[in-house]
Amino acid sequence: MFSFSTTFIFTILALLSLVASAPIDARDVYVPPVLYPRAGTVWKAGSTHNVTWDTSNPPKQITNKNGMIVLAKGDYLVGLGKKSSIIRVSHADKHISPSESPLAKGFNILQGRQQVTIPADTEPGNDYSLVRE
């Protein structure tokens, strides 16, 4: 009986090690290219625009289809004109914290466009961009 138990345990451990060593599929991160706005596009504070992106070639499976768009000025994310919520964007990882104030959030990234309104109290500048997650 001891021999059977030992053999059974070693068999289970061998199977677990096989499963653990199986290759992991490619991650399903989908970052479609933005079509509009383009570099040099000028939007006035308080104006509303459609941000559009190409959804013609999505992967078969996307884990999270919920998108978010945040206004950035230089290397900082802007929280709808609230100075206290400006945070530095990491150059290595532009992950956006859900606690920030996005221009839009919770939309399906496969729809290919999302309407955003630039906050009326946004200061003029030429180093703004949109960060989409």
Side-chain angles (χ1 to χ4, degrees), residues 1-128:
M1 186 76 137
F2 179 75
S3 176
F4 174 76
S5 297
T6 304
T7 304
F8 179 75
I9 290 172
F10 279 119
T11 303
I12 294 298
L13 290 174
L15 288 173
L16 286 174
S17 70
L18 281 173
V19 169
S21 66
I24 298 175
D25 290 337
R27 300 201 182 252
D28 60 352
V29 175
Y30 179 49
V31 184
V34 173
L35 302 174
Y36 183 79
R38 294 180 203 92
T41 299
V42 176
W43 289 351
K44 292 185 178 187
S47 61
T48 300
H49 302 274
N50 282 318
V51 177
T52 60
W53 53 92
D54 182 6
T55 60
S56 63
N57 195 19
K60 291 181 181 178
Q61 180 176 339
I62 301 172
T63 302
N64 183 3
K65 295 180 184 176
N66 293 324
M68 182 167 37
I69 299 172
V70 176
L71 184 64
K73 180 167 177 46
D75 288 339
Y76 295 87
L77 298 180
V78 180
L80 295 178
K82 300 174 190 166
K83 297 287 183 189
S84 61
S85 65
I86 296 177
I87 62 168
R88 185 160 182 80
V89 177
S90 164
H91 289 287
D93 178 45
K94 288 195 175 185
H95 179 75
I96 303 167
S97 168
S99 64
E100 291 305 307
S101 299
L103 297 179
K105 70 178 181 177
F107 56 87
N108 184 333
I109 61 171
L110 294 177
Q111 70 189 22
R113 73 177 181 92
Q114 178 61 42
Q115 189 175 66
V116 298
T117 300
I118 304 304
D121 60 350
T122 302
E123 297 176 7
N126 61 2
D127 60 343
Y128 284 100

